[in-house]
Amino acid sequence: MGRVISVLVPLGIIAFVGVGGVIALSAVKPAPEKAEEARAGLNVFAEPIRRGDLTLVVESQGEVKPRREIIVAPQISGRISYVSPDFIDGGFINRGQLLVRVEAADYELAVVRAQSSVASAEQALAREEAEAELARQDIQDLGITDASPLARREPQLAEARAALESAKAQLKDAQLALDRTAVYAPFAGRVRERNVDIGQVVAVGQSLGQIFANDVVEVAMPLKDAEMGRLGLPLAFSASANNPGPDVTFRATVGGIEREWHGQVVRTAAAVNSQTRQINVIAELQDPYGAGADGDAPMAPGLFVNATIQGETIEDVLIAPRGALRGDDRLFVGLPEEGKLSIRQVDLIYSDPDGAYVSSGVEAGELAITSPIQAPFDGMSITVMQRMEDGTIKIHEPKPTDDASTSDEPAALVSNTGEGVAQ
């Protein structure tokens, strides 16, 4: 028994000291600080809504084509005796410039023969007029009052006059054929292709080449009905001095450089395309190789260009960031003082990559949310953050609702890296 007591007593002392130590440490342990409860709310970025003017634009595209382009063809046949050195692919030509000449010897002989025929007809007419005058005198001297037209030689005189007119017509025809041995350019422009050379025999209507005028080029741009309405263009539009068409900016890459030209809408096509249900709007650029060129880059036929058509200007509209538009008629607006989300129905006028333009539903200065939000609802708790012009991020802290809290702390500013932003 004494041996058991000698073992239990030390164990009891150790247990007492251990329990007493735990109690003592618990008594002197400082109370844990109560952490401030983090405010629930989704962090979202927002941008302010502003007022401004809206210029409606329509994007389209099309191929550049010359307004006038023809196939050069002779009106007579023969052997080519001359070809202008400018009548080559890519050559510049002037109005009235000789392009091609056909050998004229045969046609010169035809003119001589026709002149001879005219002289013979004139001599025959003169002789017939003299004989008709003699016949008239004879009838008068004989006192005949009922002489026939044949006796008065009236049919013979008419025949001689007709023969002279026919000979003169043949002379004109021969002279016209001789004139047509030379083919002239009807306008100033450029040569697209040449299909003839000296010594070649050509027939009437055979293609000698193709040329186009370089004073004006056109671009046909397909537009939808809604786009026509945005531009304020009727289906049967034709520009005039009192009713000019919208301005158009053409863009294309030429020589690895983005080029830009400025033209104007001049008319619409005559009919709607039955397959696409679109209508072509035709824009023109004056002097594409001169004043209308972008530096040394003309808007040459064959280029495929993108076009921006300027529509009407609507003044004093509300402009929100394009990323804030949800669907066609909703904007998410952050209420920074309340820390809440407000879903607004708006009247959308137009939207493009630069913004969403609305007429009502929001106010200038309100913050439109651009961040994506899953399962949004009106009154949802959020923390609105705004990126400032200097790259910093402004966190809009909501005003406290507890009356005991009277401190009015300013919104926090953090760096562009987002450090210090509550997640």
Side-chain angles (χ1 to χ4, degrees):
M1 176 62 77
R3 187 175 180 180
V4 173
I5 293 174
S6 62
V7 173
L8 292 177
V9 170
L11 291 176
I13 295 172
I14 294 172
F16 177 79
V17 172
V19 172
V22 170
I23 295 173
L25 291 175
S26 299
V28 300
K29 180 180 179 181
E33 295 183 2
K34 189 176 182 180
E36 183 179 355
E37 182 180 357
R39 182 174 52 83
L42 178 68
N43 291 342
V44 294
F45 281 97
E47 296 180 18
I49 299 172
R50 57 187 176 87
R51 285 191 176 274
D53 297 336
L54 166 63
T55 300
L56 296 176
V57 298
V58 172
E59 301 289 338
S60 188
Q61 60 282 319
E63 181 183 353
V64 181
K65 295 182 179 180
R67 187 171 65 176
R68 292 185 294 171
E69 185 170 12
I70 64 170
I71 294 175
V72 180
Q75 293 179 276
I76 50 91
S77 60
R79 189 177 70 88
I80 301 299
S81 61
Y82 171 81
V83 176
S84 170
D86 295 329
F87 190 47
I88 56 175
D89 187 5
F92 285 87
I93 56 175
N94 298 316
R95 181 178 181 181
Q97 181 178 349
L98 176 63
L99 301 179
V100 176
R101 185 185 294 279
V102 178
E103 279 189 349
D106 294 339
Y107 299 97
E108 291 172 350
L109 292 175
V111 170
V112 173
R113 287 193 295 269
Q115 289 173 341
S116 176
S117 298
V118 170
S120 297
E122 289 176 342
Q123 188 273 337
L125 177 60
R127 183 175 62 251
E128 191 57 46
E129 287 177 342
E131 291 180 358
E133 180 62 24
L134 290 175
R136 187 183 65 79
Q137 289 293 338
D138 291 343
I139 292 172
Q140 185 176 0
D141 293 342
L142 295 174
I144 301 173
T145 57
D146 57 347
S148 65
L150 187 62
R152 294 195 297 269
R153 301 191 67 83
E154 291 178 357
Q156 295 89 332
L157 183 59
E159 181 183 13
R161 288 172 177 167
L164 176 59
E165 293 300 322
S166 177
K168 288 182 178 179
Q170 290 178 1
L171 176 59
K172 288 183 178 179
D173 184 65
Q175 187 63 55
L176 185 60
L178 178 61
D179 293 340
R180 287 173 175 172
T181 58
V183 181
Y184 298 95
F187 46 72
R190 299 198 69 181
V191 180
R192 187 186 288 273
E193 63 179 15
R194 189 186 82 178
N195 305 323
V196 70
D197 213 335
I198 297 176
Q200 182 176 344
V201 177
V202 295
V204 176
Q206 180 178 336
S207 174
L208 305 180
Q210 195 168 353
I211 63 175
F212 62 85
N214 60 1
D215 56 344
V216 180
V217 291
E218 296 181 339
V219 179
M221 302 169 293
L223 297 183
K224 300 177 182 177
D225 183 71
E227 294 172 330
M228 294 283 291
R230 193 181 305 161
L231 295 175
L233 289 177
L235 289 179
F237 172 76
S238 180
S240 62
N242 297 328
N243 186 28
D247 293 332
V248 184
T249 300
F250 303 104
R251 295 181 179 86
T253 301
V254 179
I257 302 175
E258 184 75 16
R259 301 289 187 170
E260 187 174 289
W261 305 273
H262 301 279
Q264 194 172 44
V265 172
V266 293
R267 66 185 185 278
T268 57
V272 177
N273 189 304
S274 59
Q275 296 180 346
T276 64
R277 311 312 305 171
Q278 295 180 333
I279 187 169
N280 283 343
V281 173
I282 292 90
E284 288 185 352
L285 173 68
Q286 301 287 334
D287 195 11
Y289 288 88
D294 182 3
D296 59 347
M299 196 169 85
L303 276 177
F304 191 83
V305 295
N306 295 314
T308 301
I309 309 173
Q310 302 293 327
E312 62 178 336
T313 299
I314 303 176
E315 298 181 350
D316 195 26
V317 298
L318 294 162
I319 307 174
R322 177 64 178 84
L325 185 64
R326 320 290 167 143
D328 293 334
D329 59 354
R330 291 193 308 163
L331 282 178
F332 289 175
V333 176
L335 306 178
E337 294 185 354
E338 303 175 14
K340 301 294 183 181
L341 168 67
S342 176
I343 300 177
R344 306 286 182 85
Q345 295 290 128
V346 296
D347 294 323
L348 181 67
I349 302 173
Y350 177 67
S351 66
D352 60 19
D354 295 329
Y357 306 87
V358 300
S359 59
S360 62
V362 291
E363 297 293 336
E366 289 188 309
L367 296 176
I369 297 172
T370 58
S371 299
I373 301 178
Q374 295 183 354
F377 58 89
D378 201 38
M380 179 179 182
S381 296
I382 58 173
T383 298
V384 179
M385 299 185 296
Q386 181 181 354
R387 193 180 301 276
M388 311 303 289
E389 293 183 358
D390 58 2
T392 59
I393 297 176
K394 179 180 180 181
I395 302 177
H396 293 270
E397 297 288 351
K399 288 185 177 180
T401 57
D402 188 1
D403 294 339
S405 177
T406 58
S407 62
D408 189 9
E409 298 180 357
L413 286 178
V414 299
S415 68
N416 192 29
T417 61
E419 295 180 357
V421 178
Q423 299 295 328

